[in-house]
C-alpha cells in the first residue's frame, strides 16, 4: 500500500473514456490505474467466473457487459 497522496480525479476532467475487453489479470489493473489518473472506465467485459469476479472487485462502479458492448462508446479500448 502506497502512502503517497493520490490526486483527486475530480480536480480535473477525465481525458479518456475506457472500455476493457477481457477482465484477465491486465485489463482491470490497467483500467484501475487509468481511473486513479483521472480517466473514466465506462465498461468492462469478462467471460469466465474468475474474470468477472476480478472485474467486479477491482472496478466496482464500472458496468460488467458482454464483450462487443464494452467498446461501443469509449475513446480508448484495452
Amino acid at each position: 500500500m502506497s502512502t503517497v497522496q493520490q490526486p483527486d480525479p475530480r480536480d480535473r476532467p477525465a481525458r479518456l473514456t475506457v472500455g476493457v475487453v477481457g477482465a484477465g489479470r491486465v485489463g482491470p489493473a490497467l483500467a484501475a490505474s487509468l481511473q486513479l489518473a483521472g480517466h473514466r472506465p465506462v465498461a468492462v467485459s469478462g467471460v469466465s467466473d474468475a474474470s468477472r469476479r476480478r472485474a467486479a472487485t477491482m472496478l466496482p462502479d464500472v458496468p460488467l457487459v458482454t464483450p462487443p458492448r464494452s467498446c461501443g462508446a469509449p475513446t480508448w479500448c484495452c
Side-chain angles (χ1 to χ4, degrees):
M1 184 82 170
S2 175
T3 59
V4 176
Q5 179 77 19
Q6 296 294 324
D8 187 345
R10 294 172 295 190
D11 289 342
R12 63 183 187 274
R15 293 178 297 267
L16 295 174
T17 53
V18 179
V20 178
V21 178
R25 297 191 193 314
V26 175
L30 180 58
S33 294
L34 288 168
Q35 189 173 39
L36 284 174
H39 301 286
R40 188 170 60 98
V42 294
V44 61
S45 67
V47 177
S48 72
D49 289 339
S51 65
R52 294 173 69 83
R53 280 192 306 271
R54 184 178 303 111
T57 299
M58 296 182 77
L59 302 164
D61 298 326
V62 178
L64 190 58
V65 299
T66 58
R69 293 191 53 215
S70 57
C71 273
T75 56
W76 189 72
C77 216
C78 60

